[in-house]
Amino acid sequence: MNSRIFETFLKLKKNNRKGFIPFITAGDPTIGMSLDIIKSLPKVGADLIEIGMPFSDPMADGKIIQASSLRALKEGITIEKILEMISKFRQENATTPIVLMGYFNPIYNFGIDKFLSYCKESGVDGLIIVDLPYEHDSELCIPARKSGLDFIRLIAPTTTDERMPLLLNQSSGFVYCISLSGITGSKEAQIKVVNDTIHRIRKSSDLPIAVGFGIKTPQQASEMLLSADATVIGSIIVEKINEIYSSDKEDNKKLKLINDFINTFSNEIHKQVRN
Amino acid sequence: MSDLKKPNSFKNFPDEHGNFGKYGGRFVAETLMPLLIEVNRAWESAQKSKKFKHELNYFLDHFVGRPSPLYLAERMTEYLNGAKIYFKRDELNHTGAHKINNCIGQILLAKEMGKTRIIAETGAGQHGVATATVAARFGMDCIIYMGHTDIDRQKSNVFRMELLGAKIIPVYSGTGTLKDAMNEALRDWVSNVDDTFYIIGTAAGPHPYPEMVREFQSVIGKETREQILNLENKLPDTLIACVGGGSNAIGLFHPFLDDENVDLIGVEAGGKGLKTKYHASSLNGGRPGILHGNRTYLLQDDDGQISDAHSISAGLDYPGIGPEHSWLHDIGRVKYVSINDNEALDAFQMCSRIEGIIPALEPSHALAYLSKLAPKLNKDHIIIMNMCGRGDKDIFTVAEKIKEKNS
């Protein structure tokens, strides 16, 4: 059976469309609210959903995702609760792929086998682990792929041509192209850098490519999509969620405001056609 | 592996992937991987380069002031009335601690690599001061990340770094301590890969840092070995050093790892006690995990989130430890013990009065263990303790604690 991620990109291609991948931090602003947001994401145009698993020391993340991770941890988020959320999402949605992004320590601590089997049961489709380069593939990447999960690799502008095929060798689902040498939500994505990296990735892989880090406006997103297949929008959404949630608006209006904001990205992204 | 090395040597680690048994490795974001490979390449060629060795030795002799004396602590020996006690006087180095041994080595490497911007993390400020010092000496820009809570408790070191021309960036993320300063330095490095060299201060982090820092700090153990053989015509029976990240301890221990009759003791900071949450004993109170690029023992909660460390000594206040120590702990080659804040405080005062040396709070932990151990041993038993830093930076902290205790 083909993976949900594979099917999703296949369908996008057939429909001549580009993909929108919103990122949110699990458990931020509250566990209940983040489940509501996740449930509404496919309705506002998400083709895939990336869910951040909070870690106390997120080395590759900028201030926005650092702060949201700490808020979520204060709310009591754990791996078990994240996977429960995903099970609940799956009761309503059987098609939109879910990718978990995080750091290795909480998973290592939870137990690799237990984590992978819980992921499968709850309906997770893929993993992006920031601090596991291919040199450590035997720890999680290979077991994850054996259990039928996609392992999505981050490719940086600094990745050398020599490393590229080695990195892509064990990756599946799609390739995550980091738009800049930096952390999430900090500098602005550079289209020239992105085009160069994508060009180099395509020499070694046929997998679809999503671009992420530093994409702050719908216009920037569509610019990235001239060469990429999908784009990840993270920090700016996480920041907006916090802003709306902390406002004195009524609770039932907050979700709508969040959805409206996310819609501005998906509308723009879905205007893009493949060339 | 060369035939000359003993097949069972403890000194053949890490392997080419940076592993000490199951510890170590290179757990970093892809953006940094090519950079670490570049650092490793430069490090490997530096080790083979006569010019590099020559330059390193020059600066160790003339700028740092090496070799540091191996000093017979006669009054301490008499007072404790047991083993014969020596101090390795690394507090006499330029900048007042062992940290500069490593900083000199790494900045020479940075220079070889054509880097112009130096970053570092610091807790107590000793590594920050040493880094700012070598950056000034070599005319490089220097950015020091320091947790905002540490900035408040180490004001004199902050001023020293500023005098030396470094820019101090206060870190408010996370809990605003050493671990967060290290996160922030790594984020800086990811964002400035072209011109920047990260001088890590302890024998931890992604490969090749644990090995590199150990090698630069091993000058302590190599000198000690030569000095004690000259003085006593035999090897010591016991070596004692404090461990936070563990750079001074591994520097002292490493040249003795294969001398099975030499007992090695690492002293962790026990804070308010191992039964409380307020300590910094990763080996005695933590479990293996992954942080800051390596697998090692860490203080963490049930969900694998990193806990805050606590110690009276800012330099030991780190929730992890170098991976080689984790391995040496597991295989039992080094014994790791724990000393709490009050015991260290007592040892700090005792050493000042008895020996005329004001120790830093870090080696005061080693001193405290020494003062428990030495009375139980014979007069021909030789103990060497690494006096890895001087206590000037700590006098205000200590004054406050003594006041608290007496009130």
Side-chain angles (χ1 to χ4, degrees):
Chain A
M1 200 182 77
N2 285 326
S3 79
R4 258 193 288 257
I5 295 175
F6 180 88
E7 292 294 345
T8 298
F9 277 103
L10 195 68
K11 207 171 125 197
L12 282 168
K13 196 173 181 182
K14 271 187 195 152
N15 297 335
N16 208 23
R17 285 174 60 185
K18 300 275 182 170
F20 169 45
I21 311 177
F23 168 99
I24 68 151
T25 302
D28 177 40
T30 64
I31 294 174
M33 187 81 178
S34 77
L35 177 59
D36 290 342
I37 297 169
I38 293 169
K39 282 180 175 174
S40 68
L41 285 174
K43 295 166 202 157
V44 290
D47 297 296
L48 279 88
I49 298 171
E50 192 180 321
I51 297 178
M53 297 189 288
F55 180 46
S56 54
D57 294 77
M59 189 177 85
D61 284 301
K63 288 195 165 55
I64 295 168
I65 292 175
Q66 287 172 36
S68 82
S69 303
L70 290 183
R71 284 195 298 270
L73 290 172
K74 249 189 195 159
E75 286 291 314
I77 198 72
T78 59
I79 287 182
E80 229 152 348
K81 286 179 186 163
I82 295 169
L83 296 173
E84 268 168 37
M85 282 167 63
I86 294 166
S87 296
K88 285 181 187 155
F89 170 81
R90 278 280 169 252
Q91 287 166 10
E92 297 180 7
N93 180 310
T95 52
T96 310
I98 297 245
V99 173
L100 291 179
M101 182 169 192
Y103 294 81
F104 190 37
N105 195 54
I107 298 170
Y108 181 74
N109 176 76
F110 192 77
I112 305 290
D113 292 342
K114 186 173 145 197
F115 176 72
L116 292 175
S117 74
Y118 279 35
C119 277
K120 278 308 279 182
E121 270 170 42
S122 59
V124 171
D125 301 285
L127 302 174
I128 304 175
I129 308 302
V130 178
D131 52 355
L132 271 182
Y134 88 86
E135 284 84 347
H136 288 289
D137 268 358
S138 62
E139 308 231 1
L140 184 64
C141 169
I142 292 166
R145 295 207 54 197
K146 272 191 190 143
S147 65
L149 290 167
D150 280 317
F151 199 86
I152 292 119
R153 192 80 71 188
L154 293 156
I155 304 284
T158 51
T159 302
T160 56
D161 288 341
E162 193 186 341
R163 282 179 70 75
M164 196 72 83
L166 300 167
L167 257 99
L168 292 168
N169 185 22
Q170 278 297 339
S171 62
S172 62
F174 63 94
V175 178
Y176 191 131
C177 167
I178 302 175
S179 72
L180 46 83
S181 291
I183 52 178
T184 58
S186 54
K187 304 190 237 178
E188 300 230 328
Q190 299 289 322
I191 186 69
K192 262 186 79 176
V193 175
V194 170
N195 284 344
D196 172 67
T197 313
I198 288 180
H199 179 72
R200 296 192 299 121
I201 294 170
R202 297 237 194 260
K203 281 194 215 162
S204 302
S205 171
D206 296 327
L207 288 171
I209 299 173
V211 180
F213 282 44
I215 302 172
K216 292 173 179 169
T217 64
Q219 289 69 33
Q220 255 183 327
S222 51
E223 194 185 24
M224 297 296 150
L225 288 171
L226 292 175
S227 49
D229 302 295
T231 174
V232 181
I233 311 293
S235 296
I236 196 81
I237 291 178
V238 171
E239 187 175 39
K240 200 73 183 178
I241 290 172
N242 184 45
E243 185 191 310
I244 292 170
Y245 184 77
S246 328
S247 70
D248 47 14
K249 301 242 163 29
E250 290 157 51
D251 272 5
N252 56 4
K253 289 200 177 131
K254 286 178 180 169
L255 187 61
K256 187 179 174 304
L257 285 169
I258 291 168
N259 284 340
D260 288 348
F261 179 76
I262 294 173
N263 244 323
T264 60
F265 278 91
S266 59
N267 287 340
E268 186 68 30
I269 287 163
H270 289 145
K271 272 191 222 158
Q272 295 297 313
V273 290
R274 304 184 72 90
N275 36 25
Chain B
M1 200 183 296
S2 115
D3 293 332
L4 294 169
K5 281 186 183 166
K6 276 203 288 178
N8 294 321
S9 173
F10 292 110
K11 296 201 271 189
N12 293 348
F13 295 89
D15 66 16
E16 57 177 318
H17 305 293
N19 296 312
F20 302 88
K22 68 173 185 172
Y23 302 102
R26 223 181 231 155
F27 297 87
V28 296
E30 173 60 21
T31 315
L32 283 183
M33 279 304 291
L35 219 72
L36 287 168
I37 291 166
E38 198 191 320
V39 171
N40 194 45
R41 223 172 270 151
W43 161 236
E44 277 176 359
S45 78
Q47 284 171 288
K48 290 177 204 141
S49 157
K50 275 190 188 149
K51 181 181 151 251
F52 186 88
K53 237 177 243 166
H54 180 79
E55 217 175 350
L56 177 62
N57 287 337
Y58 173 83
F59 283 102
L60 287 176
D61 291 354
H62 301 284
F63 191 66
V64 177
R66 301 210 71 91
S68 70
L70 184 68
Y71 163 75
L72 174 63
E74 261 185 285
R75 292 249 302 148
M76 185 76 79
T77 301
E78 210 174 286
Y79 177 74
L80 294 175
N81 193 25
K84 190 171 186 181
I85 297 161
Y86 283 91
F87 292 161
K88 177 62 175 164
R89 302 286 305 274
D90 253 53
E91 99 282 11
L92 293 176
N93 294 336
H94 183 34
T95 71
H98 70 291
K99 291 290 182 188
I100 197 153
N101 302 332
N102 166 52
C103 291
I104 279 286
Q106 287 198 42
I107 203 155
L108 287 174
L109 200 62
K111 194 174 70 127
E112 284 294 309
M113 292 175 74
K115 305 290 180 186
T116 54
R117 182 175 174 270
I118 297 295
I119 58 170
E121 83 294 339
T122 197
Q126 289 307 102
H127 174 59
V129 167
T131 303
T133 298
V134 298
R137 173 61 185 77
F138 289 89
M140 294 199 202
D141 290 339
C142 181
I143 312 284
I144 305 287
Y145 289 92
M146 191 166 182
H148 72 95
T149 45
D150 290 331
I151 287 183
D152 290 340
R153 57 179 172 176
Q154 301 288 341
K155 286 201 180 77
S156 65
N157 271 343
V158 172
F159 186 59
R160 286 166 82 193
M161 287 185 273
E162 281 169 349
L163 277 176
L164 292 159
K167 187 176 170 202
I168 296 33
I169 301 189
V171 176
Y172 292 94
S173 63
T175 49
T177 56
L178 177 57
K179 80 174 174 75
D180 304 293
M182 198 153 175
N183 289 331
E184 216 48 43
L186 284 163
R187 289 178 189 123
D188 178 310
W189 207 21
V190 170
S191 310
N192 298 286
V193 287
D194 292 331
D195 62 350
T196 300
F197 190 95
Y198 181 11
I199 299 190
I200 295 182
T202 193
H207 180 61
Y209 280 94
E211 178 192 49
M212 193 159 71
V213 175
R214 176 195 76 201
E215 288 302 306
F216 289 137
Q217 292 294 1
S218 286
V219 66
I220 303 171
K222 284 176 193 155
E223 284 175 8
T224 301
R225 206 184 157 85
E226 209 182 298
Q227 289 165 322
I228 198 70
L229 287 172
N230 280 337
L231 289 164
E232 296 279 352
N233 213 14
K234 63 170 188 169
L235 289 176
D237 300 287
T238 305
L239 300 178
I240 303 180
C242 61
V243 284
S247 68
N248 92 83
I250 202 70
L252 176 65
F253 295 165
H254 194 259
F256 294 91
L257 284 181
D258 288 339
D259 301 305
E260 280 164 37
N261 293 327
V262 180
D263 286 339
L264 307 174
I265 301 173
V267 186
E268 294 192 298
K272 295 182 178 165
L274 289 185
K275 285 182 187 144
T276 71
K277 284 194 293 185
Y278 305 101
H279 63 80
S281 301
S282 317
L283 292 174
N284 287 304
R287 57 180 198 283
I290 290 97
L291 180 71
H292 294 151
N294 57 177
R295 182 179 356 240
T296 192
Y297 277 78
L298 300 171
L299 300 180
Q300 50 186 323
D301 70 11
D302 292 342
D303 300 312
Q305 306 294 344
I306 307 306
S307 311
D308 271 326
H310 167 89
S311 169
I312 188 173
S313 139
L316 303 180
D317 207 344
Y318 178 66
I321 186 164
E324 193 163 10
H325 286 294
S326 292
W327 174 66
L328 292 168
H329 169 72
D330 278 11
I331 61 172
R333 175 64 187 97
V334 180
K335 179 178 158 188
Y336 294 89
V337 298
S338 185
I339 283 290
N340 67 35
D341 286 351
N342 285 334
E343 293 169 317
L345 199 59
D346 290 344
F348 179 98
Q349 297 168 80
M350 187 262 289
C351 183
S352 302
R353 272 199 302 264
I354 290 181
E355 207 55 69
I357 296 170
I358 301 176
L361 279 170
E362 291 80 11
S364 295
H365 287 74
L367 278 165
Y369 189 75
L370 170 82
S371 63
K372 286 186 185 179
L373 180 70
K376 297 180 205 158
L377 300 166
N378 299 329
K379 295 204 182 307
D380 57 354
H381 189 108
I382 298 171
I383 302 183
I384 300 174
M385 193 219 69
N386 195 16
M387 184 64 79
C388 62
R390 66 172 187 235
D392 310 39
K393 68 181 175 61
D394 294 316
I395 52 176
F396 298 109
T397 308
V398 170
E400 214 171 281
K401 294 285 169 190
I402 294 173
K403 215 164 105 190
E404 261 173 45
K405 238 176 125 182
N406 295 342
S407 65

